[in-house]
Amino acid sequence: MEVYLDCSGGISGDMTLAALAHLGVDFAPLTAALEKAGIACELEIREELRAGGPGMRADVRWRQEEQPLRHPADIAAIFTAVDVSAGVRARALAVLDALTEAEAQAHRIRPEEVHFHEVGAVDTLVDILGVCYGLECLGARRVTASPLPWFSGSTVCEHGRIPLPAPATAWLLRGKPVFSPEGEEPSRQELVTPTGAALLHALADGFVNGPRGLLTALGTGYGSRPAAHGLRAWLIRPQAGLAGADHSMGGQEMVSQLETHLDHLTGEELGLALSALAEMPEVLDVLWLPGVGKKNRPSGLLRVLCLPGHEDTASRAVLRHTHTLGLRHQRVERLVLPRRSVSTRLGEQDMPAKAYEIEGRSYVRPEAGAVDRAARAEGLGAPALRLKYEAEKNGPVE
């Protein structure tokens, strides 16, 4: 499943929690786990009706009169101690790291010197852990978000009056798409909080203008601001064409084709990039076509195939491993033949293979990795192994 966050009304930690609660997430097991870890708090979820439609509000209530000053390491220790899955913990720590780095940049201090004041610390850790827990409960393997609304003005915090977006939020908004309604003045309220920005920075797989797939549910989360609209979280089931064909049945499927021309990498860097991309489970295939580019430089075309749902992950990987300054995207349709996994015998060895049919005739092709291992065991190359067993099967040529 995918969760698409429509952030046109803003985003904060409590708004995201409320939206997930409106989608049906029960946070009672999480608050019980937090209490076992020494965080005595309650998450109050209540229905809210505004112009944006029915939704929910989420407020964190703490049972202890005073809360200690907490540093990021303290919150990370709580995340480690709470009985949640490894996936929830990893996501929560990634959000905490993003928020810590932003606060450190905003105050020009080291990350370990960042601190979260009293109540804010409890709110922050519950918001972060709760959102990651809620996404797992919904089976959300992917999170996408809309462009973010622009806002300005100022607000008062413990450090005095600060501009909006807040310095930590401003740092996290770098590289994120924003919009300002045409013909309207930007909002003078804090539409995106530091925690909301950190959630998007760490969890969003991409920013898109709208979801793609089957809309299955909508959850709306309202915050403490008396705004008419809140955060809308759509639960999406990917369409068959976007998720990929069932290869046991075959058929048509859409794939994303990413391409870029490269002429600046060394041979070693190019080899490492091709290996890294080929090893990614999200990547279907990697192709390198050498040639000559502008100014007669040795160049080449890098082509990467992936399913549309993995396009953002694959694109970021191409940029990371090649440092190319441009990447072309296109959707293409491909035909997938029905195939099934079988075992075949090559000489005296059984090895995994794929069985398929073309024009009514059946074929079995051993897996390349198994052939390579068998060839190495006999001290042969893969072609020699194939020719050897073909000769044994068909007899010598006279």
Side-chain angles (χ1 to χ4, degrees), residues 330-381:
Q330 62 177 323
R331 297 277 172 87
V332 296
E333 189 174 8
R334 71 172 184 173
L335 173 65
V336 178
L337 283 180
R339 82 284 304 267
R340 66 185 190 278
S341 296
V342 297
S343 178
T344 188
R345 195 164 186 81
L346 192 58
E348 301 298 322
Q349 301 186 55
D350 291 321
M351 57 183 63
K354 283 187 173 66
Y356 58 98
E357 290 187 6
I358 296 180
E359 297 178 334
R361 297 190 63 180
S362 298
Y363 300 88
V364 176
R365 183 189 302 170
E367 296 285 1
V371 173
D372 179 59
R373 289 189 295 272
R376 288 174 183 271
E378 296 200 23
L380 300 172

Side-chain angles (χ1 to χ4, degrees), residues 3 15-29 43 45 47 54-56 130-131 133-139 216-221 233-235:
V3 168
M15 291 170 70
T16 313
L17 273 181
L20 297 180
H22 198 208
L23 281 172
V25 175
D26 179 12
F27 289 102
L43 184 57
I45 306 290
E47 294 183 354
M56 286 189 170
V131 169
Y133 172 84
L135 290 173
E136 182 178 85
C137 290
L138 293 172
T216 62
L218 167 65
T220 302
W234 294 90
L235 192 60

Side-chain angles (χ1 to χ4, degrees), residues 116-190:
F116 300 96
H117 287 279
E118 293 99 14
V119 176
V122 177
D123 286 355
T124 299
L125 75 88
V126 174
D127 287 348
I128 293 175
L129 192 63
V131 169
C132 298
Y133 172 84
L135 290 173
E136 182 178 85
C137 290
L138 293 172
R141 308 175 90 183
R142 176 176 166 81
V143 178
T144 54
S146 69
L148 303 172
W150 186 247
F151 57 102
S152 61
S154 63
T155 189
V156 177
C157 69
E158 60 181 307
H159 301 289
R161 184 167 290 277
I162 60 173
L164 292 176
T169 304
W171 193 85
L172 288 164
L173 288 180
R174 298 177 311 158
K176 313 293 190 298
V178 298
F179 73 93
S180 186
E182 188 174 352
E184 298 181 18
E185 289 292 324
S187 173
R188 310 293 288 183
Q189 298 186 4
E190 188 176 27

Side-chain angles (χ1 to χ4, degrees), residues 231-366:
L231 173 70
R232 308 179 89 194
W234 294 90
L235 192 60
I236 312 295
R237 187 182 303 280
Q239 291 177 324
L242 298 178
D246 181 350
H247 287 190
S248 65
M249 302 293 293
Q252 304 281 342
E253 70 176 358
M254 296 297 295
V255 294
S256 292
Q257 184 171 282
L258 316 178
E259 289 187 349
T260 184
H261 287 95
L262 301 175
D263 63 2
H264 63 285
L265 297 180
T266 68
E268 291 176 338
E269 291 169 343
L270 178 60
L272 292 171
L274 297 177
S275 296
L277 293 170
E279 290 171 359
M280 292 180 59
E282 296 88 354
V283 169
L284 298 174
D285 202 1
V286 178
L287 178 66
W288 171 252
L289 298 173
V292 178
K294 294 178 65 175
K295 301 180 181 180
N296 290 322
R297 294 173 180 165
S299 179
L301 172 67
L302 173 64
R303 180 177 293 162
V304 176
L305 292 183
C306 65
L307 292 177
H310 296 147
E311 186 174 299
D312 291 327
T313 300
S315 297
R316 288 201 303 270
V318 172
L319 297 176
R320 181 186 312 118
H321 293 296
T322 68
H323 281 217
T324 183
L325 300 181
L327 186 62
R328 298 181 295 278
H329 293 220
Q330 62 177 323
R331 297 277 172 87
V332 296
E333 189 174 8
R334 71 172 184 173
L335 173 65
V336 178
L337 283 180
R339 82 284 304 267
R340 66 185 190 278
S341 296
V342 297
S343 178
T344 188
R345 195 164 186 81
L346 192 58
E348 301 298 322
Q349 301 186 55
D350 291 321
M351 57 183 63
K354 283 187 173 66
Y356 58 98
E357 290 187 6
I358 296 180
E359 297 178 334
R361 297 190 63 180
S362 298
Y363 300 88
V364 176
R365 183 189 302 170

